[in-house]
Amino acid sequence: MNNPYLPDAYKILDIKKETQIDYTFKIAYEGALVGGQFMEISIPGVGEAPISICNYDDSSLEMTIRKVGNLTDQIFNLEKGDTLYMRGPYGNGFNLDHYRGKDVVFIAGGTGLAPIRKTIDHFVNNPDEVKNLEVLIGFKSPKDRLFIDDIDRWSEKNCVTVTVDQGDDSWTGKTGLITTHIDKLDLTNISEKIAVVVGPPIMMKFMLFELIKKGFKEKNIWVSFERKMSCGIGKCGHCKIDETYVCLEGPVFNYTTAKALID
Amino acid sequence: MKFITIDKKNWTKGIDKSRGTYRLFGPVKDKNWCMIKELDGDILPDMEYNESVMSAKSVLFPQSETILNTSLNESVEDHHIMKRAKNDYTARAVLGIRPYDAKAIQLVKMNFDTKEYKDPYWCDAYEATTFVGMAITKPGPFDFSTSVDSGPFCEEGLDILLADLDDSFIAKILTPKGESFAAACGFDSTIDDKESQALFDILRKEAEKNINCRVETDKLKEKNLLDLHGASFWDDLAFSCINCGTCTYVCPTCWCFDIQDEAKLKESSRFRNWDTCMSPLFTRHATGHNPRGVKVQRVRQRFMHKLKYFLDKYDQGIMCVGCGRCVKSCPVNIDIREVCHTMNTYEKKD
């Protein structure tokens, strides 16, 4: 019987420092992936954790990892050429067909940008696939910004708004909570506009409230849930909301489904 | 299906004979209570036990189970490459499992044996196991199994169902697995099917009469999920709960687990331990955010999962077999029978 708990060994090709506590690890990987899926990564003897895939190509994938605990502390000690252990990919990811031909806004808060990064990048590079594209990104402060090079590149297409909750002396960009920038989006055809929202739970809660209030239709809103996952394969019960395993049926849900997934 | 009779004088000899082919598990007196344990050596099952503190779920799903191993010694070939732990999946039999516990294993199977992913540890253990049930003739005071599609003579999930006739057992052989086990014991005295079934029916009715508690579940399905979720009774219910998790550990239908690594010197193991949705750590993110950080959310989750979410999704009854262990074990007297009644009769007030 196939053993879904067995991780394989993969080489770290590159490590990029995004912030003091967020590094992006590029890992040799060949296999089919969808943006928004996640891997269970591990170091034998230390532990295992679910991490979103933020980018991939035919021979590698990237994951942005925040240093927050025992396992991620150890991962931050790894270097280019070292080995990381992974199993996956898991979850449904973002289905591009839900957004093709539509007027779409991607809204990401903080590390929520990581799982949606690949999807945004796809549409920035293929603008003909959507009717209209906007990206709204919020970070706590300038030093918390992720994927700065990507955001600069996306900004050349004039479709990106970046805001920080609180600026510093060097920050010349927009400030204020991400929800305060909804009005600056193109809301002319709001009943047909698609919103994809990913971020910390508190940001998601208020953002969804605001979007509905502004006139977005529930069926046009997509979210990606962040849950503690242990097994990743719908067995352990950790990520379960009612009878729904987020690791299997999500983490991406249409809001009409997501709104009933309550704790 | 067939019936055989087993003279109790031959019982010990028979099950000892099976030890050559089967690892045996069964109820064993342990200080003041009874536990389901492996019957090492010549330990015999206590077939007259009333109820075990824990169910037989641990026979397939140990409280702590090593799933992967590897060496961290870099001079060893394949170091850090995790391999499946060499657990024993030779044939095993659980003797005297209560019918409601066997049914619970069928509910747990719905989690571990799915189309997308089969849990190899649980499924291999399940395949290796023969379930030899002991019908309940004297139900305990907390037993409400007849309310939840189970009961003292429920055959679901069993390979053999035994009924105690003082000097002998009548065994109803339900599956080929059961037939193999009976053959390994040398139990082959077949008896008339019709007469035996009639006797079983009489014993079943007698036993069912002794279950005094009836819990209605008939209206749970039609209740609005969000109405139940938002009901005010959860606050009262959760007030006394201390989130100890005892209810989840003793529950035969609870399957949640956590995966952890452990390293000793240069040897590393990945194992899984039973976990409990009653613990705030169960859902707490590494960032500190906890979507179920408040006690009432966790208490509600447990009961809504057992009595509403599972029912709504699978339409195969509630996720409870009525063993009553959680009622008996709860240190603050939270009673799932009362909660079920409250939910079943709940009407939202405008």
Side-chain angles (χ1 to χ4, degrees):
Chain A
M1 192 185 295
N2 173 44
N3 190 337
Y5 295 99
L6 271 177
D8 288 319
Y10 297 91
K11 279 272 171 272
I12 297 174
L13 301 176
D14 197 14
I15 301 170
K16 184 183 175 192
K17 184 177 175 181
E18 304 278 354
T19 73
Q20 286 293 328
I21 55 166
D22 301 287
Y23 288 9
T24 296
F25 293 75
K26 185 174 187 178
I27 296 157
Y29 182 86
E30 291 178 6
L33 295 169
V34 177
Q37 288 186 305
F38 67 95
M39 306 292 278
E40 288 283 351
I41 64 166
S42 63
I43 297 179
V46 182
E48 192 176 53
I51 304 287
S52 296
I53 297 159
C54 67
N55 196 13
Y56 60 86
D57 58 25
D58 291 342
S59 59
S60 70
L61 62 79
E62 292 177 33
M63 291 184 284
T64 300
I65 300 173
R66 176 165 286 183
K67 192 174 189 281
V68 286
N70 194 24
L71 174 65
T72 49
D73 282 353
Q74 296 289 326
I75 289 173
F76 270 53
N77 291 333
L78 297 176
E79 295 176 354
K80 184 177 168 179
D82 284 344
T83 303
L84 197 56
Y85 299 83
M86 300 195 300
R87 58 188 177 90
Y90 299 121
N92 55 0
F94 295 99
N95 182 345
L96 301 184
D97 287 340
H98 291 141
Y99 320 124
R100 285 194 170 109
K102 308 276 176 57
D103 177 354
V104 189
V105 54
F106 291 99
I107 302 170
T111 49
L113 182 57
I116 206 173
R117 184 213 160 277
K118 177 69 179 172
T119 309
I120 295 172
D121 204 49
H122 173 86
F123 288 117
V124 170
N125 295 334
N126 300 277
D128 295 343
E129 289 191 17
V130 284
K131 196 190 282 181
N132 184 39
L133 175 66
E134 288 176 283
V135 181
L136 175 57
I137 304 168
F139 295 107
K140 272 188 185 169
S141 72
K143 67 179 174 50
D144 294 313
R145 286 176 300 150
L146 304 172
F147 312 127
I148 291 174
D149 295 342
D150 293 317
I151 293 172
D152 285 347
R153 186 164 48 80
W154 299 341
S155 298
E156 289 168 14
K157 305 280 172 80
N158 293 323
C159 63
V160 181
T161 302
V162 178
T163 178
V164 296
D165 295 353
Q166 204 157 22
D168 57 21
D169 292 344
S170 64
W171 179 249
T172 56
K174 294 183 171 61
T175 56
L177 292 174
I178 191 168
T179 42
T180 62
H181 291 269
I182 297 173
D183 285 334
K184 289 154 198 157
L185 298 171
D186 177 5
L187 302 174
T188 47
N189 196 13
I190 200 164
S191 64
E192 297 300 318
K193 198 173 181 77
I194 304 281
V196 185
V197 186
V198 193
I202 193 76
M203 167 263 180
M204 300 259 286
K205 180 180 172 183
F206 287 103
M207 181 55 75
L208 292 168
F209 179 77
E210 287 297 324
L211 292 177
I212 302 284
K213 202 167 82 176
K214 292 286 176 201
F216 277 80
K217 285 191 174 164
E218 290 184 353
K219 69 180 176 67
N220 289 337
I221 300 174
W222 296 83
V223 297
S224 181
F225 272 22
E226 187 183 311
R227 300 291 292 198
K228 178 180 177 181
M229 292 163 186
S230 186
C231 72
I233 56 171
K235 305 294 173 212
C236 75
H238 280 261
C239 70
K240 218 171 192 185
I241 312 176
D242 67 44
E243 199 53 46
T244 302
Y245 271 112
V246 173
C247 65
L248 287 182
E249 296 177 47
V252 180
F253 293 96
N254 186 268
Y255 184 66
T256 53
T257 304
K259 71 175 184 179
L261 297 177
I262 47 177
D263 287 289
Chain B
M1 189 273 291
K2 68 177 181 185
F3 286 88
I4 59 174
T5 180
I6 304 166
D7 190 317
K8 283 193 180 174
K9 287 178 195 155
N10 300 327
W11 170 250
T12 302
K13 196 174 148 196
I15 61 169
D16 279 345
K17 195 176 167 192
S18 76
R19 290 180 198 265
T21 319
Y22 292 85
R23 287 170 66 197
L24 299 181
F25 294 77
V28 179
K29 279 207 178 84
D30 183 350
K31 294 178 185 164
N32 296 325
W33 45 62
C34 181
M35 302 293 278
I36 306 293
K37 289 185 172 180
E38 181 154 13
L39 305 173
D40 291 320
D42 56 358
I43 299 174
L44 292 170
D46 175 7
M47 299 300 278
E48 293 178 359
Y49 79 110
N50 281 329
E51 52 203 9
S52 56
V53 178
M54 308 293 276
S55 77
K57 74 176 173 184
S58 60
V59 177
L60 311 185
F61 178 41
Q63 195 162 358
S64 185
E65 179 178 28
T66 306
I67 58 173
L68 305 172
N69 287 320
T70 190
S71 172
L72 305 180
N73 184 344
E74 297 195 1
S75 64
V76 173
E77 192 185 355
D78 284 352
H79 63 87
H80 285 76
I81 302 296
M82 301 207 97
K83 296 188 176 69
R84 182 171 177 175
K86 289 187 172 62
N87 299 334
D88 184 354
Y89 296 106
T90 53
R92 61 183 86 171
V94 196
L95 305 178
I97 183 174
R98 292 311 200 202
Y100 44 59
D101 286 345
K103 170 164 175 151
I105 285 169
Q106 295 303 306
L107 298 182
V108 173
K109 189 171 187 283
M110 293 166 75
N111 182 64
F112 284 118
D113 186 1
T114 59
K115 200 171 58 181
E116 299 101 329
Y117 296 103
K118 286 185 187 301
D119 185 288
Y121 305 95
W122 194 93
C123 290
D124 284 353
Y126 179 78
E127 286 305 315
T129 306
T130 301
F131 299 95
V132 182
M134 184 75 225
I136 301 170
T137 47
K138 292 174 188 160
F142 302 101
D143 187 330
F144 61 103
S145 55
T146 46
S147 298
V148 289
D149 298 330
S150 181
F153 277 67
C154 177
E155 296 170 4
E156 199 176 336
L158 286 173
D159 298 300
I160 297 175
L161 177 59
L162 299 171
D164 193 338
L165 295 184
D166 294 334
D167 295 333
S168 64
F169 294 118
I170 294 186
K172 187 173 184 180
I173 312 292
L174 298 159
T175 67
K177 262 187 175 178
E179 198 151 344
S180 299
F181 181 74
C185 296
F187 298 145
D188 55 5
S189 304
T190 50
I191 45 176
D192 184 79
D193 288 353
K194 275 190 181 169
E195 282 179 21
S196 304
Q197 185 60 56
L199 184 54
F200 257 54
D201 289 342
I202 292 167
L203 293 171
R204 177 177 55 78
K205 282 175 189 161
E206 282 299 313
E208 286 177 356
K209 263 193 233 166
N210 291 324
I211 293 178
N212 300 317
C213 178
R214 179 83 205 157
V215 179
E216 299 303 333
T217 61
D218 57 321
K219 294 189 171 61
L220 287 170
K221 179 86 179 164
E222 68 196 48
K223 298 291 174 194
N224 179 284
L225 188 147
L226 294 177
D227 286 350
L228 273 180
H229 188 277
S232 59
F233 63 77
W234 296 115
D235 290 313
D236 295 336
L237 182 68
F239 179 75
S240 61
C241 179
I242 55 172
N243 277 174
C244 65
T246 299
C247 49
T248 59
Y249 297 129
V250 299
C251 178
T253 69
C254 276
W255 61 62
C256 291
F257 63 87
D258 192 31
I259 298 174
Q260 295 286 337
D261 277 27
E262 190 174 73
K264 285 180 186 163
L265 298 175
K266 291 289 180 184
E267 297 304 313
S268 169
S269 297
R270 184 160 294 165
F271 53 96
R272 63 178 175 194
N273 298 324
W274 289 359
D275 206 347
T276 172
C277 58
M278 291 291 99
S279 164
L281 290 176
F282 188 76
T283 46
R284 197 176 77 180
H285 299 185
T287 58
H289 171 73
N290 193 342
R292 230 177 274 148
V294 181
K295 185 170 73 169
V296 67
Q297 292 177 307
R298 299 191 287 277
V299 173
R300 178 173 56 201
Q301 164 66 20
R302 172 170 159 74
F303 289 113
M304 286 289 277
H305 187 205
K306 298 250 172 253
L307 306 175
K308 180 64 178 165
Y309 302 147
F310 183 86
L311 174 71
D312 283 359
K313 177 143 183 176
Y314 297 108
D315 202 14
Q316 293 188 32
I318 60 173
M319 203 178 89
C320 172
V321 291
C323 69
R325 286 187 182 92
C326 59
V327 184
K328 187 178 179 185
S329 304
C330 179
V332 296
N333 299 323
I334 292 175
D335 189 331
I336 194 171
R337 298 170 299 184
E338 290 171 12
V339 181
C340 190
H341 173 75
T342 304
M343 289 172 69
N344 197 54
T345 55
Y346 178 73
E347 295 296 338
K348 188 183 177 189
K349 289 173 190 145
D350 294 324

